[in-house]
Amino acid sequence: MNVELTLPTRKDEDFRYSDLDALATVWPVVREDIEVIAGLEESRQVIELGEGAVARHLDVRLGKGAKLDLRVLTAGPGYGRIAIDVRLEEGADFTLGAAQLATGKETLEIVTKVTHAGLNATSSQIVRTVLAGNATGTYLGCIAVERGADGTDAEQSVRAMLLDRTATANAKPELEIFADDVKAAHGCAVGELDANGLFYLMSRGLPPADAKRLMLQAFIAEAFAGAPGEEALDEAAMARLAKLVGTAL
Amino acid sequence: MTMLKIENLQASVADKPILKGLSLTINPGEIHAIMGPNGAGKSTTGYVLGGRPGYEVTGGSVEFMGQDLLQLEPHERAAAGLFLGFQYPVEIPGVSFVQFLREAANAQRKGRGEEPLSGGEFLKLAKEKARLLKMDMDMLKRPVNVGFSGGEKKRAEMVQMGILDPKLAILDETDSGLDIDALRICGEGINSIMRAPDKAVLLITHYQRLLDYVKPDFVHVLAGGRIVKSGGPELALQLEEEGYEAVA
Ligand SMILES: Nc1ncnc2c1ncn2[C@@H]1O[C@H](COP(=O)(O)OP(=O)(O)OP(=O)(O)O)[C@@H](O)[C@H]1O
Ligand SMILES: [Mg+2]
């Protein structure tokens, strides 16, 4: 079986921001295989809204010209880890739209390794993190382009929004490129809600929490735009956002 | 009852005193215009009255329809009937006008103990005000001010004012950026929305042109953080002829 039995330590790069005590309660993590065979298209959702600890590890293989649209929403767990390994053959296309919302002492993380193994494969990752209280949110994303995988187009857009100065965001996009003709764009930003925008909304009569919720809804929606089931994802995220803006200081 | 009574207002931005003893009284049914040189503190006055964070009141008082305005949060001021038309309306990506305005209108109604507007009722109201300002309803489905031209933003401010139906509107350079036709349309819009015995307007402007449409009862000159001269509509004309240095 595809299971790693030894509990990782902080020395493992992929686990350096993890809540290892919480991870121990759900270890070992059984890998979930997702294979999309050549020429087919699929969409999947990973939605974790429950409390407690959760760790998942997806092993995605995309055949020639295969497509996967994967959306992830983690909003609720005290510890939530979603690890995604993706291997793309020639002409395959991988889309990840992920949002993680945390407050209190919650720790959420998304760890991806996207390997472009064939020619002209494309991948796009959009990750949006909203953190209140003393929460920690992490994105570790490695893009590996193997020898000969020319024509690769890999994109990462990673943004985190801190509602309180006491929250922590970690973001680390990484590139390992062994091919020549490669387009890899990554944007990475940690910020706070635009104070001018907030005042504008409040001056029209929106209470502060609602003004924040509206702006955060827009922020999160970028991760789910165009997804099958977009509305349900938006709604699930919104319920959690209401809680976050309520608990923000 | 007076609509707005500002007494000896002092305020600082980033620890820098900007308003230095501003006094102004506005009664229901009146239209006031404030003119004054760049940097005089006109926008600051609007922001202080709107409750913008970072604008610290260091002295004086403001009474709005019998309430201590300075004790209220920005959204409570809106619910009490205050509207601030921004000199530079803010772009908010991903949030549509209709979505936010419906929530804002209903939050105001809730604050006043009124029933919320249904989706249908709100859209009908929004359409009516968009038509009044000759703005394409489709623009209100777009994200707030994003990609709007300068003039379109100002027109959208007036549509918002129409929808929210305030008692007192403080309009900060609503005329700047408007083309000739838009200026007339916005002027007529202001009259249609705000000319009423129980409402009042404070227009902040640099030019007579808006005052040709929205005729003020009083004109004030704000310089160095206080009102240095007040008069009737003729004062605006005189200022335009002779400039601030000669008049105030
Ligand atoms: N954040 C800030 N930090 C320091 N000074 C500020 C800040 N905001 C405004 N000021 C100063 O306050 C003064 C008043 O600005 P305000 O915007 O109220 O002027 P105004 O009368 O509206 O001018 P204009 O006609 O150009 O719109 C200006 O000197 C401006 O530089
Ligand atoms: Mg100004």
Side-chain angles (χ1 to χ4, degrees), chain A residues 67-82:
Chain A
K67 279 190 181 186
L68 178 69
D69 180 312
L70 177 65
R71 307 289 168 150
V72 173
L73 172 61
T74 325
Y79 173 63
R81 173 185 178 88
I82 311 289

Side-chain angles (χ1 to χ4, degrees), chain B:
Chain B
M1 197 198 296
T2 48
M3 173 77 68
L4 185 74
K5 193 172 172 93
I6 307 175
E7 273 183 306
N8 193 28
L9 184 63
Q10 294 148 57
S12 298
V13 185
D15 287 329
K16 183 179 159 197
I18 308 289
L19 301 186
K20 301 168 183 169
L22 188 143
S23 298
L24 178 67
T25 299
I26 299 179
N27 290 302
E30 292 176 354
I31 302 225
H32 290 242
I34 286 189
M35 304 179 83
N38 296 131
K42 302 181 298 298
S43 295
T44 301
T45 303
Y47 288 143
V48 168
L49 296 177
R52 182 174 189 149
Y55 287 70
E56 197 199 344
V57 175
T58 53
S61 64
V62 182
E63 201 177 284
F64 177 53
M65 298 199 297
Q67 292 188 73
D68 180 355
L69 186 74
L70 301 176
Q71 289 299 317
L72 303 179
E73 297 288 317
H75 67 285
E76 296 169 333
R77 301 182 192 202
L82 185 75
F83 178 86
L84 184 59
F86 283 60
Q87 180 174 0
Y88 304 108
V90 184
E91 300 191 2
I92 307 179
V95 178
S96 80
F97 269 115
V98 280
Q99 181 191 13
F100 122 71
L101 284 172
R102 185 179 162 208
E103 281 205 33
N106 281 337
Q108 285 199 23
R109 293 173 74 92
K110 193 172 166 200
R112 295 192 293 258
E114 297 164 16
E115 286 296 305
L117 294 172
S118 72
E121 286 166 333
F122 174 77
L123 274 184
K124 188 165 166 255
L125 178 66
K127 270 185 195 144
E128 181 192 316
K129 301 307 173 187
R131 196 177 316 121
L132 180 69
L133 274 305
K134 299 199 165 44
M135 170 165 259
D136 190 346
M137 188 61 196
D138 281 343
M139 292 192 76
L140 293 184
K141 294 179 181 147
R142 283 168 44 183
V144 175
N145 293 317
V146 176
F148 281 38
S149 75
E152 287 167 346
K153 285 179 183 165
K154 294 305 175 69
R155 207 188 285 224
E157 293 287 289
M158 295 304 96
V159 176
Q160 294 178 56
M161 181 174 77
I163 291 170
L164 297 172
D165 194 27
K167 291 285 184 239
L168 173 66
I170 300 166
L171 305 180
D172 193 356
E173 296 198 28
T174 294
D175 53 339
S176 61
L178 293 176
D179 68 43
I180 296 162
D181 291 341
L183 182 67
R184 178 179 48 77
I185 291 162
C186 282
E188 289 169 359
I190 294 168
N191 286 330
S192 140
I193 297 162
M194 297 304 298
R195 273 271 182 211
D198 63 335
K199 292 181 170 180
V201 180
L202 179 59
L203 293 170
I204 296 171
T205 185
H206 284 296
Y207 305 103
Q208 170 64 30
R209 59 193 182 193
L210 178 65
L211 307 181
D212 289 337
Y213 296 105
V214 187
K215 299 223 157 45
D217 304 294
F218 302 94
V219 173
H220 312 276
V221 179
L222 198 163
R226 57 171 79 87
I227 304 284
V228 294
K229 193 177 173 88
S230 296
E234 73 289 342
L235 179 57
L237 294 166
Q238 193 193 348
L239 284 168
E240 199 147 74
E241 285 279 302
E242 301 171 25
Y244 294 115
E245 279 192 21
V247 177

